[in-house]
Amino acid sequence: MPIAQNIFAAVVLIVFTAFLAGRLQAARLSRVHSRQLSSLSVYYGWYCALGALAPTMLAGLIAWFFPIREDVVAIGLPLIAVAGAIYTCMQIRPEVSMQLRVERLIKWMLMASGGVAVLTTFGIVLSLIFETGRFFASDGVSASEFFFGLEWSAQTSAAFGAVPLFFGTFFIAFIALLIAAPVGLFCAIYLSEYASPRQRRVLKPVLEILAGIPTVVYGFFAILVVAPLVRQLGLAVNDVLRPLNGGMDVLTAQPKSALAAGLVMGIMIIPFVSSLSDDVLRTVPKKLKNGALGVGATRAEMMKHIVLPVAFPGLMAAMLLATSRAIGETMIVVMAAGERANLTANPFEDITTVTVQIVALMTGDPEFDNPRTLSAFALGAALFVVTLFFNFVSQWIVDRQRKRYAGL
């Protein structure tokens, strides 16, 4: 058994023993002093258990960040847990309300968990900024080329123009949203307003099953089924347009294409849009719906003028989540759209995205003093800024719509 599992098992055993010891200690002191406990005995057990767990978690976090020998950690963490359990057991008094102390400890642990999340995000941002600065400080790299260059060849450190990557990312995401947004929204409207309870019990799980399918399965479906059909469609369109262009080809239809990846990605994110939109639509107060129907509005008019405007902030959040999911997808793009940085508006040609190139650059044994590897951090930082900008814009739209319908 690995040493980490041994440490975990020992700490769990100590915490459980501390819980039992706290309850027994509280009951014993109550009998000795002939005084009633000010809290339930379970709180005394939880106080001792948390007293053993909290310092152990803090010490384990410190040991994770700093280079400390494994044998020291293996001995130190259980000893810290034992010391915390003994100390808290000695603090037990029948007249002391342990419920307040337990709630205070839990509050501090929750605050610490939130702080870890904030610090982790801060650390990610700092690492992106630091490595991106190193990339732009490398020889042969310029910010103007990165943000405005039209050629990407980072594998050979020849060109770092990221415009084709970002264009491909948003082009495929746009195609996916053209499929997922209307289909998902219409599914949500049907499930929330028109479907019977029996139909809802059948259709809702079926839609949510799509969300649980691994993306690699979608990728195989895209490359084996959708991509050949899309190529045949492109060839057929080209045959129709060729006589109008003097017999010359108009479209280039390739085995891998942006349209194939976008279509399958749109199918993949339909459950995200439909499930979240359905939950949002069902939160609209029934009195608003009944009021609209009571004054003679049809069900369609009620949806258009009452339900959709009221649910707009939640629907915008659902679309934003679907957009983020599409932008961050990698497997479908690799298998159905390709890895070539190609700046084209032809949906029947192969194309690539930012996330695919990040994976390609970090695969293998990367050298972190090479512009080739550091360019992955620059791509991640740029994508982070662009996504953050979209979040701010969508939040502004949501706030404006909320104020409009609040009468402000």
Side-chain angles (χ1 to χ4, degrees):
M1 184 180 291
I3 187 170
Q5 296 183 12
N6 288 332
I7 297 173
F8 178 77
V11 171
V12 169
L13 180 61
I14 294 170
V15 170
F16 180 72
T17 304
F19 177 81
L20 297 179
R23 297 191 65 174
L24 294 175
Q25 176 73 350
R28 186 186 69 83
L29 292 176
S30 177
R31 290 194 303 268
V32 170
H33 298 284
S34 300
R35 300 188 63 173
Q36 186 177 2
L37 296 176
S38 59
S39 303
L40 296 176
S41 61
V42 68
Y43 285 107
Y44 293 89
W46 277 116
Y47 179 69
C48 293
L50 292 175
L53 180 62
T56 306
M57 291 178 60
L58 179 60
L61 190 63
I62 295 174
W64 186 40
F65 280 105
F66 295 96
I68 301 177
R69 291 167 47 187
E70 287 189 352
D71 54 348
V72 175
V73 175
I75 298 174
L77 291 184
L79 288 178
I80 292 173
V82 171
I86 293 175
Y87 175 78
T88 49
C89 284
M90 294 174 60
Q91 298 295 314
I92 291 177
R93 299 289 186 275
E95 65 276 6
V96 177
S97 177
M98 288 300 164
Q99 180 177 354
L100 296 177
R101 292 194 178 186
V102 169
E103 292 177 353
R104 193 179 298 116
L105 280 174
I106 293 176
K107 176 184 176 181
W108 281 105
M109 291 180 69
L110 293 175
M111 291 178 61
S113 300
V116 169
V118 173
L119 291 176
T120 302
T121 304
F122 189 66
I124 292 174
V125 173
L126 284 182
S127 65
L128 285 176
I129 294 175
F130 177 74
E131 300 296 342
T132 302
R134 291 182 59 196
F135 168 71
F136 287 118
S138 302
D139 295 334
V141 177
S142 66
S144 59
E145 179 192 6
F146 180 81
F147 291 109
F148 303 105
L150 304 181
E151 183 181 355
W152 178 267
S153 182
Q155 298 290 346
T156 59
S157 299
F160 294 99
V163 171
L165 307 185
F166 285 98
F167 177 81
T169 298
F170 294 111
F171 187 38
I172 293 178
F174 176 73
I175 296 174
L177 288 176
L178 286 181
I179 303 298
V183 174
L185 183 59
F186 292 155
C187 287
I189 293 174
Y190 176 77
L191 288 174
S192 63
E193 297 297 331
Y194 296 95
S196 64
R198 181 179 179 181
Q199 292 173 331
R200 180 179 173 82
R201 285 195 301 269
V202 175
L203 295 177
K204 182 81 169 178
V206 171
L207 279 174
E208 292 179 348
I209 285 175
L210 293 175
I213 299 177
T215 56
V216 66
V217 177
Y218 282 109
F220 279 117
F221 174 70
I223 194 172
L224 296 177
V225 178
V226 179
L229 295 177
V230 169
R231 186 169 187 268
Q232 292 178 8
L233 175 63
L235 294 175
V237 173
N238 186 56
D239 292 339
V240 173
L241 297 178
R242 187 185 294 117
L244 303 178
N245 195 37
M248 300 180 62
D249 290 337
V250 178
L251 295 176
T252 302
Q254 297 178 345
K256 293 184 179 183
S257 63
L259 183 58
L263 290 175
V264 177
M265 193 181 299
I267 296 173
M268 181 192 69
I269 63 178
I270 284 176
F272 292 91
V273 178
S274 63
S275 181
L276 292 174
S277 300
D278 175 50
D279 295 337
V280 170
L281 293 174
R282 289 175 67 85
T283 60
V284 176
K286 287 188 176 181
K287 61 182 180 180
L288 296 179
K289 303 177 184 179
N290 295 335
L293 296 174
V295 297
T298 63
R299 190 174 291 272
E301 291 172 337
M302 176 199 68
M303 289 296 303
K304 179 180 178 181
H305 298 289
I306 301 298
V307 176
L308 292 180
V310 173
F312 180 82
L315 296 178
M316 178 62 72
M319 297 302 172
L320 179 61
L321 179 63
T323 304
S324 301
R325 185 70 177 84
I327 290 176
E329 178 54 40
T330 303
M331 186 60 66
I332 294 176
V333 180
V334 169
M335 301 181 72
E339 300 182 47
R340 184 167 69 102
N342 185 20
L343 184 61
T344 177
N346 181 6
F348 297 101
E349 290 190 20
D350 62 335
I351 205 168
T352 191
T353 63
V354 172
T355 55
V356 171
Q357 289 300 311
I358 291 175
V359 172
L361 293 169
M362 300 300 291
T363 301
D365 189 14
E367 299 177 1
F368 286 91
D369 57 351
N370 192 313
R372 170 186 175 275
T373 303
L374 295 176
S375 64
F377 293 94
L379 290 174
L383 188 62
F384 174 80
V385 172
V386 171
T387 307
L388 191 64
F389 173 75
F390 283 144
N391 288 342
F392 282 130
V393 172
S394 63
Q395 187 62 44
W396 176 76
I397 296 174
V398 168
D399 292 339
R400 182 180 178 184
Q401 191 77 358
R402 185 182 291 116
K403 290 179 181 179
R404 175 185 174 187
Y405 284 93
L408 298 178

